[in-house]
Amino acid sequence: MSHLTDSEKTKKLICCVLTVSDTRTMENDKSGKAIRSKLEAAGHHVFESLLCKDDGMAIESIIAEWLMNQNVDAIILTGGTGIGFRDVTIETVTPYFTKTLDGFGELFRYLSYTEDVGSKALLSRAVAGIVDDKALFALPGSVKAVELAMDKLIIPEIHHIVHELTKHLEE
């Protein structure tokens, strides 16, 4: 049973999307496009969508700017979450977390194991956390992984997460 009112369930959230990749361009960024499409289909607004290289300083610069924007409710990254040498998304974003959403990564890997890639799911380092009053999700770069995370975890829970983060502001 949801604790949210009807207006809270339909509130348009403001989200930012960052694709981290050394090889993709805005034209061929299918994962970023999938995130934007699913957010918009759920009635949310994508405030900004960018692409940057697998570079900690580049990721940090963009994330820091979005975190300072009081209107942004959630940030979703795709790419750079693997175990390769250039995969630095997790190391870059987790120091910002004021709280972790450990269940997100656990559920994502379980769903990946059962519905997508089998035992290869153990290579996923997908994470989610809270940075003050904003939700931040870091997803793998594959379109199937993004669709799985968006459909099964993020879209169904993002209203509740943002509500829990901001309800103290309404009191």
Side-chain angles (χ1 to χ4, degrees), residues 6-39:
D6 287 340
S7 66
E8 290 164 336
K9 289 178 193 174
T10 58
K11 177 186 176 207
K12 181 182 270 196
L13 301 178
I14 309 297
C15 304
C16 293
V17 178
L18 178 61
T19 299
V20 177
S21 176
D22 287 337
T23 59
R24 294 205 179 120
T25 65
M26 288 305 275
E27 293 75 35
N28 68 11
D29 175 22
K30 293 179 182 174
S31 295
K33 192 176 295 182
I35 294 169
R36 292 188 301 275
S37 175
K38 290 186 179 292
L39 287 168

Side-chain angles (χ1 to χ4, degrees), residues 18-153:
L18 178 61
T19 299
V20 177
S21 176
D22 287 337
T23 59
R24 294 205 179 120
T25 65
M26 288 305 275
E27 293 75 35
N28 68 11
D29 175 22
K30 293 179 182 174
S31 295
K33 192 176 295 182
I35 294 169
R36 292 188 301 275
S37 175
K38 290 186 179 292
L39 287 168
E40 290 167 352
H44 305 303
H45 174 69
V46 177
F47 172 73
E48 191 167 26
S49 182
L50 298 173
L51 188 141
C52 76
K53 299 287 185 201
D54 284 294
D55 175 83
M57 289 176 49
I59 298 166
E60 190 171 342
S61 174
I62 293 166
I63 295 299
E65 184 177 324
W66 288 341
L67 289 172
M68 288 189 302
N69 185 328
Q70 293 301 310
N71 296 316
V72 172
D73 296 305
I75 298 169
I76 304 174
L77 295 89
T78 176
T81 64
I83 61 170
F85 176 75
R86 297 278 301 153
D87 294 323
V88 298
T89 298
I90 304 306
E91 291 75 17
T92 303
V93 301
T94 55
Y96 283 96
F97 290 172
T98 51
K99 295 184 180 189
T100 60
L101 292 174
D102 296 328
F104 174 82
E106 294 163 359
L107 283 170
F108 176 77
R109 282 179 282 284
Y110 170 77
L111 291 168
S112 294
Y113 177 80
T114 59
E115 298 185 21
D116 190 16
V117 296
S119 61
K120 289 182 182 89
L122 71 89
L123 290 128
S124 173
R125 298 188 307 140
V127 298
I130 305 308
V131 183
D132 299 323
D133 62 349
K134 297 178 188 346
L136 190 150
F137 301 89
L139 311 177
S142 88
V143 176
K144 284 183 82 172
V146 162
E147 290 172 343
L148 181 71
M150 295 298 291
D151 292 341
K152 300 280 184 155
L153 301 171

